[in-house]
Amino acid sequence: MLENALTSDISFDERLDTLMNVRTRTGAAVLTLAVVAGLGATSCSKTRWCERDQGDVHVADSYCERGVAGYEWEPDHDKPKYKKKPKKH
């Protein structure tokens, strides 16, 4: 296909269409791989839970799965919610 686009036997418009098709397919493949990689990365983390933003209260996962405003997934590897108090000398 690409070889045909580079020969002079076909018109400029046909060459342009062929090159655009190759470009479109490549872009679609890259986008698909990015989506699959993103889904794979989120599905591997089994140690997450759904929290309400106000007060950081654990709630049923269904709130986050439905995308209800004010609820978000919290991963297990987050920093602790408390701050260390400075030592007095």
Side-chain angles (χ1 to χ4, degrees), residues 16-35:
L16 183 61
D17 287 341
T18 303
L19 289 173
M20 292 303 286
N21 285 339
V22 170
R23 195 176 200 183
T24 302
R25 288 182 192 154
T26 304
V30 168
L31 180 63
T32 301
L33 286 174
V35 169

Side-chain angles (χ1 to χ4, degrees), residues 33-48 75 77:
L33 286 174
V35 169
V36 169
L39 291 175
T42 58
S43 67
C44 292
S45 61
K46 305 248 183 212
T47 56
R48 66 179 186 167
H77 61 275

Side-chain angles (χ1 to χ4, degrees), residues 34-63:
V35 169
V36 169
L39 291 175
T42 58
S43 67
C44 292
S45 61
K46 305 248 183 212
T47 56
R48 66 179 186 167
W49 58 88
C50 186
E51 280 189 359
R52 184 175 178 196
D53 288 341
Q54 185 180 9
D56 290 331
V57 178
H58 291 251
V59 295
D61 289 348
S62 62
Y63 289 99

Side-chain angles (χ1 to χ4, degrees), residues 71-89:
Y71 296 88
E72 65 182 8
W73 289 109
E74 292 292 330
D76 189 28
H77 61 275
D78 266 357
K79 294 179 181 178
K81 305 250 184 220
Y82 59 89
K83 293 182 181 179
K84 292 183 180 180
K85 295 181 181 178
K87 294 181 180 180
K88 294 182 180 178
H89 292 272

